[in-house]
Structures are given as C-alpha cells and as structure tokens.
Amino acid sequence: MITLKKNIFEVAKMLNTDSYETDKPNTNMAIGYTVPPQMPAQKSSHASEKTEREPNTKFIEVKGTSAGGGYSTANDLYLFSSALFDGKLLSQESL
C-alpha cells in the first residue's frame, strides 16, 4: 500500500483515497449499512415490519488489499484519470 500511496495517490494528489482499517475510527470513511442475514430458524419479516439495519463493517475485510477494499471519492478518481492521461503516472507511449 505504501507503493500505491507514494507512486500513484501522492503524484495524482488523491488526498481522499486509501485502504482504511475498518476496525479503527476514521473520520474520512463512510459506513454502509445492511440488513443482517436471517437465521434459518427465524420467521421471515413482513414488508410492514421495520427491519433494523446494522453497519456493514463486520461483513467487509478489515484492511483493503490488492484484491479490493480501497476507498476513494469521485473527485480523487477524476484526479487519477487526469494524472494518467497527462502522463504523470505513465508515459504517453505506454498508453
């Protein structure tokens, strides 16, 4: 992850992109919510019943890897695209 940070995120000025640790407090990461899976012995809830949602953090990896788990913003993805096509990340010949 250090290599990505140094060679891509910093070069492209992507300040809101990282693989955050989901088991530690982070003010720069949105938390998703999900409906907990139903246990086999549970009766199914009806549409009129309110279903409690819970944070999805226990269903995702603790830290992102090369296989996924990175977090970014639309603006940072734009900065990545700009840096890529402006030749800051790869030479124009490589594209």
Side-chain angles (χ1 to χ4, degrees):
M1 204 58 205
I2 294 169
T3 301
L4 277 176
K5 234 179 213 186
K6 180 181 172 204
N7 296 319
I8 297 177
F9 303 158
E10 289 178 9
V11 173
K13 301 191 181 353
M14 299 168 68
L15 303 177
N16 295 298
T17 299
D18 206 340
S19 289
Y20 302 116
E21 296 182 36
T22 59
D23 61 341
K24 295 183 179 173
N26 189 318
T27 59
N28 200 28
M29 185 176 77
I31 301 296
Y33 289 86
T34 187
V35 175
Q38 201 170 14
M39 302 308 287
Q42 271 182 313
K43 67 175 190 167
S44 61
S45 60
H46 298 291
S48 62
E49 294 179 25
K50 184 176 180 180
T51 304
E52 292 295 320
R53 300 193 187 282
E54 61 184 44
N56 68 351
T57 51
K58 69 181 181 183
F59 299 107
I60 57 177
E61 297 294 329
V62 173
K63 178 126 175 137
T65 68
S66 57
Y71 292 85
S72 193
T73 62
N75 189 61
D76 273 10
L77 294 176
Y78 169 77
L79 292 171
F80 171 77
S81 178
S82 296
L84 181 63
F85 288 106
D86 289 345
K88 294 178 183 174
L89 302 176
L90 295 172
S91 66
Q92 291 295 328
E93 296 80 32
S94 296
L95 297 173

